[in-house]
Amino acid sequence: HHPVSARGALMSSRRHIVPNYHAARGPGGVFVPVDQAATTMRLTEGLEIYNQYLAAVCLHQGLTPRGVQHELARRGELTLDPQWRRASYARQLAIYLAHTEGKVPQKLLGRICGITPSGICRALQSIEDVRDHHDYDQLIETIALQMKAVDA
């Protein structure tokens, strides 16, 4: 029998008492690690949801999904280019709606869009930041409601 320090005893007891904050509800409402929860939605299903939201956003922005993909695939210093910025905003809004309304996990959206997890977080945060403006909030709500009507 080896002596256990107070810190060691506290750490081992925490492992059994403190819930896993990096868990989500999986099938049947059972908590599973986040990585397993993210894989409960297939890539094809997430891609279909994302593409539907991207198409809806493009319709409201006077863009096409193909045009958005083309602009975002360009190389170089593009952040000041107005066309690239419009395409980037459309993608951010589609990511936001696919995540909040379509329930596509962030990790899966990263795979779909070819964006790092921090890039997905920044996209979500940028849309949250503009929701304070009434016009943007109305646009987001309008697209979300239209997508719900299509699903019904």
Side-chain angles (χ1 to χ4, degrees):
H1 179 60
H2 298 287
V4 178
S5 69
R7 184 175 187 272
L10 180 60
M11 293 303 287
S12 67
S13 68
R14 280 187 184 162
R15 248 180 268 142
H16 301 290
I17 297 171
V18 177
N20 179 1
Y21 290 106
H22 300 288
R25 288 199 187 272
V30 176
F31 278 103
V32 294
V34 169
D35 289 345
Q36 290 176 9
T39 59
T40 59
M41 179 180 281
R42 289 198 170 109
L43 179 63
T44 54
E45 183 184 1
L47 180 61
E48 183 179 333
I49 293 168
Y50 168 77
N51 283 335
Q52 288 172 348
Y53 279 105
L54 181 60
V57 168
C58 285
L59 186 64
H60 281 271
Q61 300 294 316
L63 301 168
T64 65
R66 186 176 294 258
V68 167
Q69 299 299 343
H70 175 74
E71 281 298 319
L72 296 174
R74 290 174 41 209
R75 299 276 182 227
E77 194 63 37
L78 301 170
T79 56
L80 297 178
D81 183 301
Q83 290 179 316
W84 185 88
R85 290 181 63 83
R86 286 183 68 209
S88 177
Y89 174 74
R91 178 176 62 183
Q92 288 175 343
L93 188 50
I95 288 169
Y96 178 83
L97 289 166
H99 178 64
T100 58
E101 300 291 326
K103 307 299 182 220
V104 179
Q106 291 181 32
K107 185 174 183 175
L108 191 55
L109 283 167
R111 287 183 61 201
I112 290 166
C113 298
I115 299 175
T116 63
S118 64
I120 293 293
C121 286
R122 285 193 306 272
L124 294 170
Q125 187 60 54
S126 70
I127 298 301
E128 279 294 330
D129 290 347
V130 298
R131 287 208 74 165
D132 293 338
H133 302 287
H134 180 72
D135 293 340
Y136 288 113
D137 195 50
Q138 282 297 121
L139 171 67
I140 293 167
E141 289 298 319
T142 299
I143 295 170
L145 288 172
Q146 285 177 344
M147 291 300 292
K148 286 179 183 171
V150 168
D151 289 341

